[in-house]
């Protein structure tokens, strides 16, 4: 192999045009999914203090955001609900309300922007008064009864017009239960994006503020979300979800788990996504606001890191800002 001084790696880095010619990864607006928080408030926008630049949006605000996403060329949005505490109970009853916030939000967005992809979370934590992703028997999250609720919820969301349902609960067997239920109800074309490797992470705090579950959560979620120390376990989780009918895979959080993303892409060659979660977003925003980093540069660098690791797309609160930057 040739070596210095015959080989000089800096030659192709010397000019903007040459750097562009040899660039290996090209992030694009097509790689973005904009994460949005819906609210049943009469106020169009309610800022979330721990997520600078992010607001809970009522239906009018959500439709405006959807139209903006469409104008910017963002392919899809992902909707997460902030449910009024008066509608929460131990059985997540509100998750089965066909006239509830999320079904209404999906119908409103699809009516205004029929060509925009709509992804909805399938999980019980926004609807439970204890903040967990499943129904409880004593202090135990009861896996199998939870599956029935998740499957019924997924049907309601598909009926409302959701293009992709994304089970984020990490219950065993939930993808199969949802796929069977969708197929039985003639929603065979509704896609499933599985939170296949969702870790019990410390990066979720601002999101729990945004959807109003932080104060209610009793204990933690380590009995069902993955241990951050584990790598091989992610392969097993993902293989199970693929066999149960998942169309797409997701790793959550994003940047701390780039190795997992690459492992999954290399192993399964499936459509693979990362969720750049609230804590990742908030850290970049806070450091940028204090002048410790160049916020725009780090935003784009992190987006590029996901693509370089093997992601086909990224769910991020930065989607609008990245799309604007790419357009500029």
């Amino acid at each position: 192999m040739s070596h210095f001084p015959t080989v000089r790696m800096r030659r192709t880095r010397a000019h903007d045009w040459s750097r562009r010619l040899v660039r290996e990864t090209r992030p694009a607006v097509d790689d973005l999914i904009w994460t949005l928080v819906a609210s049943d408030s009469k106020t169009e926008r309610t800022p979330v203090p721990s997520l600078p630049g992010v607001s809970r949006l009522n239906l009018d605000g959500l439709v405006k955001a959807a139209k903006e996403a469409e104008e910017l060329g963002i392919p899809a949005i992902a909707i997460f609900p902030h449910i009024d505490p008066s509608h929460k109970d131990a059985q997540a009853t509100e998750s089965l309300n066909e006239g509830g916030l999320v079904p209404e939000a999906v119908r409103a967005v699809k009516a205004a922007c029929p060509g925009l992809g709509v992804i909805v979370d399938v999980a019980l934590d926004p609807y439970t008064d204890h903040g967990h992703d499943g129904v409880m028997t004593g202090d135990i999250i009861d896996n199998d009864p939870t599956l029935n609720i998740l499957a019924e919820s997924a049907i309601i969301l598909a009926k409302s017009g959701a293009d992709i349902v994304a089970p984020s609960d990490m219950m065993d067997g939930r993808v199969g239960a949802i796929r069977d239920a969708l197929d039985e109800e003639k929603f065979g074309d509704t896609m499933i994006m599985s939170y296949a490797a969702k870790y019990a992470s410390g990066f979720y705090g601002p999101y729990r503020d945004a959807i109003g579950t932080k104060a209610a959560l009793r204990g933690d979620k380590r009995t069902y979300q993955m241990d951050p120390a584990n790598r091989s376990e992610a392969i097993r989780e993902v293989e199970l979800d693929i066999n149960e009918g998942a169309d797409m895979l997701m790793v959550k959080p994003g940047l701390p788990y780039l190795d997992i993303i690459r492992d999954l892409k290399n192993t399964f060659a499936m459509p693979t996504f990362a969720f750049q979660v609230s804590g990742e977003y908030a850290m970049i925003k806070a450091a940028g606001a204090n002048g410790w980093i160049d916020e725009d540069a780090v935003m784009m660098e992190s987006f590029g890191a996901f693509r370089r690791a093997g992601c086909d797309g990224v769910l991020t609160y930065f989607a609008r800002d990245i799309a604007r930057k790419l357009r500029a």
Side-chain angles (χ1 to χ4, degrees):
M1 178 177 286
S2 299
H3 51 78
F4 179 84
T6 303
V7 174
R8 292 182 180 268
M9 297 296 290
R10 290 180 55 188
R11 289 189 187 114
T12 58
R13 303 171 191 159
H15 309 284
D16 175 70
W17 63 264
S18 59
R19 290 191 297 272
R20 287 188 286 123
L21 277 176
V22 301
R23 188 163 291 150
E24 298 174 35
T25 305
R26 299 180 183 276
V29 70
D30 291 340
D31 309 325
L32 292 167
I33 297 168
W34 191 8
T35 52
L36 299 169
V37 180
S39 166
D40 55 8
S41 172
K42 294 180 181 178
T43 303
E44 184 174 300
R45 305 176 64 86
T46 305
V48 181
S50 57
L51 283 171
V54 174
S55 295
R56 301 184 192 117
L57 305 172
N58 70 6
L59 292 186
D60 289 339
L62 191 68
V63 167
K64 287 181 181 178
K67 289 179 178 178
E68 186 174 7
E70 196 170 51
E71 182 184 342
L72 288 167
I74 296 171
I77 62 171
I79 300 173
F80 300 87
H82 177 272
I83 303 298
D84 189 285
S86 65
H87 295 154
K88 298 184 181 187
D89 59 29
Q91 301 299 314
T93 305
E94 182 64 16
S95 69
L96 304 182
N97 179 4
E98 294 191 21
L101 173 61
V102 178
E104 286 294 329
V106 174
R107 284 189 282 268
V109 169
K110 294 303 285 187
C113 307
L116 182 69
V118 176
I119 303 169
V120 287
D121 212 38
V122 181
L124 303 190
D125 57 325
Y127 305 97
T128 56
D129 56 12
H130 47 69
H132 281 287
D133 297 64
V135 295
M136 299 182 73
T137 300
D139 293 329
I140 304 298
I141 310 300
D142 208 340
N143 190 95
D144 294 6
T146 298
L147 300 183
N148 298 327
I149 303 173
L150 294 170
E152 190 174 346
S153 175
I155 292 168
I156 290 169
L157 295 168
K159 285 180 178 178
S160 70
D163 301 291
I164 299 175
V165 294
S168 66
D169 55 287
M170 290 301 287
M171 298 295 113
D172 291 331
R174 84 262 196 229
V175 172
I178 291 171
R179 183 74 273 161
D180 288 346
L182 290 172
D183 290 350
E184 186 175 338
E185 293 293 323
K186 311 302 182 188
F187 289 102
D189 291 335
T190 301
M191 291 171 275
I192 296 177
M193 177 188 284
S194 173
Y195 286 65
K198 181 178 179 179
Y199 285 85
S201 172
F203 283 89
Y204 301 145
Y207 169 75
R208 290 173 183 162
D209 285 339
I211 68 166
T213 63
K214 189 172 185 178
L217 182 61
R218 301 202 303 263
D220 58 44
K221 303 191 177 190
R222 287 179 291 181
T223 65
Y224 49 99
Q225 293 178 358
M226 285 183 56
D227 187 333
N230 290 0
R231 184 174 181 177
S232 297
E233 184 184 6
I235 303 293
R236 295 181 63 199
E237 282 279 9
V238 168
E239 187 171 18
L240 287 166
D241 286 359
I242 293 172
N243 290 338
E244 291 177 18
D247 301 287
M248 308 167 180
L249 314 173
M250 187 205 296
V251 176
K252 182 180 180 181
L255 286 176
Y257 299 93
L258 294 178
D259 59 323
I260 308 301
I261 294 166
R262 175 46 62 189
D263 284 348
L264 300 183
K265 194 65 175 179
N266 287 346
T267 303
F268 299 107
M270 285 278 289
T272 303
F273 295 80
F275 198 140
Q276 185 175 38
V277 299
S278 60
E280 299 173 69
Y281 171 88
M283 288 194 304
I284 294 172
K285 294 293 287 188
N290 280 282
W292 299 331
I293 61 171
D294 180 329
E295 181 184 314
D296 281 356
V298 173
M299 173 184 74
M300 297 305 294
E301 184 178 346
S302 65
F303 183 42
F306 291 124
R307 293 286 289 114
R308 192 179 64 246
C311 282
D312 298 284
V314 183
L315 290 84
T316 177
Y317 299 93
F318 279 123
R320 176 178 58 184
D321 297 333
I322 292 171
R324 288 172 173 171
K325 189 82 171 173
L326 290 171
R327 174 177 282 188

